[in-house]
Amino acid sequence: SGDGLAIRGLQAEVLGGMQLRWQVLVIQAARNAPDFNGKLELVLTGTQDGKAWTQTQPPQGQPLQVKQYRRIEGVLNLPANAVVKTVTARVLDGTTVRTTQTMVLD
């Protein structure tokens, strides 16, 4: 988007097949930009028991406030037999997706 809000440096790795460690850097490139108040969602896609699987974490999104930049990280527990193929980070302003970035896991 042209307002300077962007996701940089999405990182994710599966730990022992049971957890996903993730880190997202959200920046506002515009000078003197007003504080952004929105939500961060992680959308995991892959397979579970051989079938297509998608999960949004947290289900209602995580509150996100950004002045110039903000690094957010965490560890998610994965369901049994889930294989994560992609992780997508989305920043929402209400119901509008402001920026998104996807990472493919090996």
Side-chain angles (χ1 to χ4, degrees), residues 31-84:
R31 282 180 176 259
N32 302 321
D35 290 4
F36 172 79
N37 289 295
K39 293 186 295 188
L40 173 70
E41 287 182 347
L42 292 181
V43 181
L44 314 179
T45 62
T47 60
Q48 184 178 17
D49 295 322
K51 299 183 178 123
W53 167 80
T54 300
Q55 185 176 58
T56 301
Q57 289 290 337
Q60 296 83 25
Q62 174 176 334
L64 174 68
Q65 293 180 313
V66 180
K67 184 161 183 67
Q68 289 182 303
Y69 65 91
R70 176 95 187 268
R71 185 180 308 276
I72 308 106
E73 58 190 1
V75 176
L76 300 172
N77 292 320
L78 298 173
N81 303 319
V83 177
V84 179

Side-chain angles (χ1 to χ4, degrees), residues 12-15 17-20 43-48 53 55 76-79 81-88 103-106:
E13 67 176 326
V14 174
L15 306 173
M18 303 295 293
Q19 294 182 313
L20 180 86
V43 181
L44 314 179
T45 62
T47 60
Q48 184 178 17
W53 167 80
Q55 185 176 58
L76 300 172
N77 292 320
L78 298 173
N81 303 319
V83 177
V84 179
K85 304 281 189 187
T86 66
V87 177
T88 300
M103 176 184 175
V104 177
L105 299 179
D106 294 328

